[in-house]
Amino acid sequence: MDAFTSLSNFLRQKSSSARNENGEEVRTNPLGLPLSIDNVEPLSPCLRYCEIFPPVPHPLLLGGGNVGRQDKISGVIASNPILIQIRFGLSSKWPVNDVEAMGAAKCAMLVQLANGIQKMKQKGGGGVDFSGPIN
């Protein structure tokens, strides 16, 4: 759960809006999202410690057996996708009655989240280590 906790903390911290000298909320954040992320919840059984066959580290990715190594790369032999739920902050501008518009808004927020993470990765991350299986 350590990786999930760090992901959750990263998303909440980097999506929160900053305050200026006057105490007013500034809408810019490092991820470039118009809304903050309120919560990240685990949906997959492996994140809730109830998976019958949890993901197993792949031995060739230095995940299996080399406990003392510092250059581990996470990876699994075979597993189902690990699902999380991202809950965005409240806004009166979300579409209410149109299901297609709601789906488009959710898709746009997730694309903007992915672009924001990619930009942070290219700029050096701002103190965030992006080493791992995603290159």
Side-chain angles (χ1 to χ4, degrees):
M1 189 75 133
D2 191 26
F4 172 75
T5 304
S6 64
L7 172 69
S8 177
N9 291 337
F10 168 79
L11 290 175
R12 279 186 274 141
Q13 289 172 357
K14 298 300 180 183
S15 71
S16 63
S17 299
R19 298 198 179 270
N20 62 11
E21 311 75 55
N22 300 335
E24 298 171 347
E25 193 172 303
V26 179
R27 284 287 187 194
T28 59
N29 54 49
L31 291 176
L33 296 174
L35 295 174
S36 63
I37 294 176
D38 284 346
N39 201 2
V40 181
E41 300 171 0
L43 297 180
S44 291
C46 65
L47 293 175
R48 293 179 278 125
Y49 298 111
C50 59
E51 178 80 51
I52 295 175
F53 299 107
V56 179
H58 195 284
L60 297 178
L61 292 176
L62 304 176
N66 297 328
V67 179
R69 301 275 311 248
Q70 293 296 326
D71 56 350
K72 288 184 184 177
I73 301 172
S74 59
V76 294
I77 292 176
S79 75
N80 295 325
I82 298 175
L83 303 175
I84 61 172
Q85 179 178 354
I86 299 174
R87 188 174 69 198
F88 291 105
L90 298 176
S91 174
S92 61
K93 297 181 181 179
W94 281 99
V96 179
N97 296 328
D98 190 3
V99 177
E100 289 181 17
M102 178 64 92
K106 288 179 182 179
C107 184
M109 288 290 284
L110 293 175
V111 167
Q112 196 165 4
L113 175 65
N115 289 339
I117 292 173
Q118 187 67 28
K119 285 179 186 175
M120 284 186 68
K121 185 177 175 182
Q122 290 172 352
K123 290 180 183 177
V128 179
D129 182 22
F130 283 104
S131 62
I134 301 172
N135 292 326

